[in-house]
Amino acid sequence: MRIRGYRGFILAILMAAMLTGIWSPSAEALSQPAGERPHYQLEATYSAKDQTVRGHMKVRLPDRREKAWKDVYFHLYPNAFKDWKWGAESRPEKPGHLKVSQVKVDGEKASAKEKGTLLRIQLDRPLADGKTALVEMDYELKLPKGGTRLNVYGNTAFLAQWYPMLAVHDDEGWHTDPYTTTGDPFFSQISDFEVTLQLPEGYQVISSARDPEQTSSTVTLRQERVRDFAAVITKDYEPIYGKVDDIRVNLWYLKGMEDVAQPLHDAAISSLSFFGKKFGAYPYEEVDVVLGETGYGIAGMEYPGLVTSVARIPTRKGEQPAINVVAHELAHQWWYGVVGNNQVKEPWLDEGLTTFSELLYMHEEKGEDERELLMRAAQRTDEIHKEKGVTSVESLYKYSDPIYGLMVYTRPAAMMWELVEKLGKEKVLEILHTYYDRYQFQTATTEDFIRVANETAGQDLRPFFDRWLFFKGER
Ligand SMILES: [Zn+2]
């Protein structure tokens, strides 16, 4: 995501809602062998009239695990909008929710308990390594009005984190971290999706998958190897289509954005191409950039194959097309999308690398040089660290909003620029390229990143990273 505020970092996002449906199993999908990735089948019907998505979901659980599972957790993030616990400034105008019912495991009724944004399903028989199970449930999503990310705006539903999302289980156990308003409090693993949508008359869908250009009332979308599946259901947006090699790059805009739509589509094409050359190939067929507001304090938001960005940002030269926000969100396709990380535990890892990627693109392609400003902002983090003890490698819950941007975005981006000074740009790009190759479709950690940097640079950069990220020793 990109934060509004701190010059350069000024804007907002959008994303929100939709669907409902009744599931009819496809023999092909059900007979698919289990694998290391979860496989979701979602059937969903969107009612524009009551802004609700109703449907049925089946998830085939991955078959690789260290320890037998006695239970399974799903995140019900939209329930954060039911009883808003955070600041009044980000409170939705109308609440939303995600209700589940008829939970079954392998066709048998299962005991399931909902608590806030979490669903715990008890397994009657523990699930051993090499074994899979099919979890299914009915669900009803009520879209909040004026929600952050998940939202309804005019004749558009922004569906973000809109279905029960399987929590991540690793050697630390289940990751059941609750929703919060600082940063992107989401963590999920690479999965495969088959989503069948029933749309109201005249609506079309823009999603994480390759989308049909023709509008029809039933749409089936398939996308493999993504961490999440976002969709925008709309009858208001207009497209500009384009391509980078074989990748379809589409920009979607509303009335009143005509003047910025073309420059932002050009920026989407040139930044996607730039990042592909520098870091490694974008692995999907399509990416959509949807212009609009995403919620309080947010300028843009990333999902696999789909990003949102505000249309314009205030700058020293007045209001300008939000080129750097589009570039930022597209860089997240590499850092967060393909190479994942636990965004709750180590948010710097995707936000820091993404901010650096954004600034590198703005520097090389647009001639903007923010390095001095960045270094000054980094100095400020030394003072903050002295006052509060907080570093750049902390969980989301440790940061207040103003400190979050400086510690998690700015300081790590300044660190990467200093690494360029130290090793040369080509070596730093080689580090990022190697990191991308090695950890694609996986979850990387700070330690993984440092290991790749050391190996690629052929020297011990530990003291450098200790100073910049953990505030150990003098910078
Ligand atoms: Zn971001």
Side-chain angles (χ1 to χ4, degrees):
M1 129 179 141
R2 197 143 181 310
I3 305 170
R4 292 173 190 264
Y6 155 51
R7 173 152 129 201
F9 285 167
I10 298 181
L11 305 195
I13 306 185
L14 32 93
M15 227 16 237
M18 73 168 256
L19 326 196
T20 262
I22 288 160
W23 165 249
S24 60
S26 99
E28 178 201 25
L30 291 180
S31 65
Q32 190 169 40
E36 292 179 28
R37 303 195 292 268
H39 183 274
Y40 288 79
Q41 288 181 314
L42 282 149
E43 189 140 313
T45 301
Y46 176 55
S47 162
K49 201 171 127 263
D50 54 6
Q51 299 169 342
T52 301
V53 177
R54 290 192 188 84
H56 190 79
M57 181 179 89
K58 296 195 176 194
V59 180
R60 180 151 301 277
L61 301 178
D63 62 3
R64 297 279 173 267
R65 51 187 62 79
E66 320 70 40
K67 264 197 231 156
W69 290 1
K70 294 187 189 127
D71 44 23
V72 179
Y73 284 87
F74 285 82
H75 294 283
L76 308 174
Y77 291 120
N79 284 341
F81 302 104
K82 197 158 69 175
D83 306 303
W84 192 247
K85 292 202 210 92
W86 298 274
E89 69 287 344
S90 50
R91 181 191 301 278
E93 290 160 49
K94 280 189 198 159
H97 64 244
L98 180 58
K99 258 189 226 158
V100 301
S101 55
Q102 304 291 323
V103 178
K104 289 180 186 167
V105 176
D106 288 333
E108 284 175 35
K109 198 170 180 320
S111 144
K113 264 208 182 99
E114 232 181 276
K115 200 177 166 199
T117 59
L118 265 189
L119 177 74
R120 176 177 172 266
I121 301 170
Q122 202 177 314
L123 297 173
D124 288 344
R125 287 177 295 275
L127 203 53
D129 187 34
K131 294 276 186 292
T132 182
L134 186 71
V135 176
E136 60 187 306
M137 61 192 81
D138 292 339
Y139 66 89
E140 180 195 273
L141 169 75
K142 172 75 181 167
L143 284 155
K145 189 163 191 294
T148 302
R149 302 184 187 87
L150 182 71
N151 193 14
V152 185
Y153 182 81
N155 296 310
T156 302
F158 293 93
L159 298 188
Q161 293 90 26
W162 56 279
Y163 53 89
M165 291 171 75
L166 181 63
V168 175
H169 187 282
D170 60 18
D171 51 17
E172 294 173 8
W174 283 105
H175 290 268
T176 58
D177 311 282
Y179 183 88
T180 181
T181 49
T182 303
D184 299 325
F186 315 114
F187 180 32
S188 53
Q189 76 175 96
I190 290 281
S191 308
D192 297 338
F193 288 85
E194 181 182 312
V195 180
T196 302
L197 297 178
Q198 304 289 335
L199 303 174
E201 178 80 34
Y203 278 74
Q204 73 180 119
V205 62
I206 307 161
S207 81
S208 288
R210 175 167 173 167
D211 305 310
E213 284 183 29
Q214 301 303 323
T215 347
S216 63
S217 59
T218 304
V219 178
T220 299
L221 304 160
R222 291 186 184 85
Q223 185 62 58
E224 291 192 345
R225 296 195 298 180
V226 283
R227 318 191 165 265
D228 181 5
F229 195 97
V232 177
I233 296 177
T234 184
K235 61 175 189 180
D236 289 346
Y237 274 90
E238 290 293 329
I240 301 179
Y241 296 114
K243 272 191 164 187
V244 171
D245 303 324
D246 289 336
I247 306 157
R248 293 148 53 100
V249 182
N250 311 324
L251 180 121
W252 300 84
Y253 65 97
L254 293 168
K255 262 202 187 73
M257 299 175 180
E258 291 83 356
D259 58 322
V260 297
Q262 194 58 57
L264 291 178
H265 186 247
D266 295 345
I269 297 263
S270 80
S271 57
L272 199 84
S273 165
F274 179 87
F275 299 138
K277 283 188 196 120
K278 302 289 182 200
F279 310 141
Y282 176 78
Y284 310 116
E285 280 179 74
E286 182 173 282
V287 67
D288 294 289
V289 178
V290 183
L291 301 184
E293 295 289 328
T294 306
Y296 177 82
I298 302 180
M301 184 65 199
E302 68 280 11
Y303 309 94
L306 193 164
V307 304
T308 67
S309 168
V310 289
R312 299 175 189 87
I313 49 163
T315 71
R316 278 165 280 179
K317 293 178 249 164
E319 283 228 316
Q320 298 287 326
I323 288 172
N324 51 347
V325 181
V326 168
H328 180 100
E329 302 312 340
L330 289 176
H332 269 303
Q333 296 298 313
W334 279 259
W335 321 126
Y336 149 75
V338 177
V339 177
N341 59 292
N342 184 336
Q343 299 183 103
V344 176
K345 195 178 168 194
E346 302 184 319
W348 87 268
L349 192 48
D350 65 302
E351 293 300 355
L353 297 184
T354 295
T355 304
F356 172 69
S357 306
E358 167 199 335
L359 294 171
L360 187 70
Y361 166 76
M362 294 304 288
H363 181 65
E364 295 201 1
E365 301 286 312
K366 304 288 167 193
E368 288 197 6
D369 196 342
E370 300 278 5
R371 279 177 292 183
E372 211 187 296
L373 182 73
L374 205 60
M375 290 302 167
R376 261 190 278 140
Q379 275 169 16
R380 174 75 189 113
T381 55
D382 287 330
E383 296 160 25
I384 293 169
H385 172 70
K386 277 204 194 95
E387 286 162 27
K388 316 225 179 238
V390 64
T391 73
S392 284
V393 189
E394 311 272 6
S395 86
L396 282 180
Y397 310 110
K398 294 273 179 70
Y399 299 108
S400 64
D401 279 340
I403 292 178
Y404 173 70
L406 286 167
M407 283 290 183
V408 168
Y409 289 59
T410 316
R411 185 179 173 99
M415 170 186 85
M416 293 305 291
W417 275 116
E418 191 169 293
L419 199 59
V420 168
E421 299 279 309
K422 194 177 162 77
L423 304 177
K425 194 182 78 184
E426 290 315 310
K427 190 52 84 180
V428 171
L429 291 177
E430 196 187 324
I431 291 170
L432 290 171
H433 206 303
T434 309
Y435 175 66
Y436 181 70
D437 282 349
R438 194 171 300 174
Y439 291 102
Q440 53 183 273
F441 307 121
Q442 298 176 48
T443 301
T445 63
T446 301
E447 291 308 315
D448 293 330
F449 180 74
I450 294 175
R451 198 175 313 117
V452 169
N454 283 346
E455 276 175 34
T456 313
Q459 56 177 282
D460 183 14
L461 295 167
R462 186 84 224 181
F464 173 86
F465 290 117
D466 272 350
R467 281 196 303 279
W468 274 98
L469 295 173
F470 298 96
F471 295 79
K472 288 184 193 159
E474 286 297 307
R475 193 154 61 79

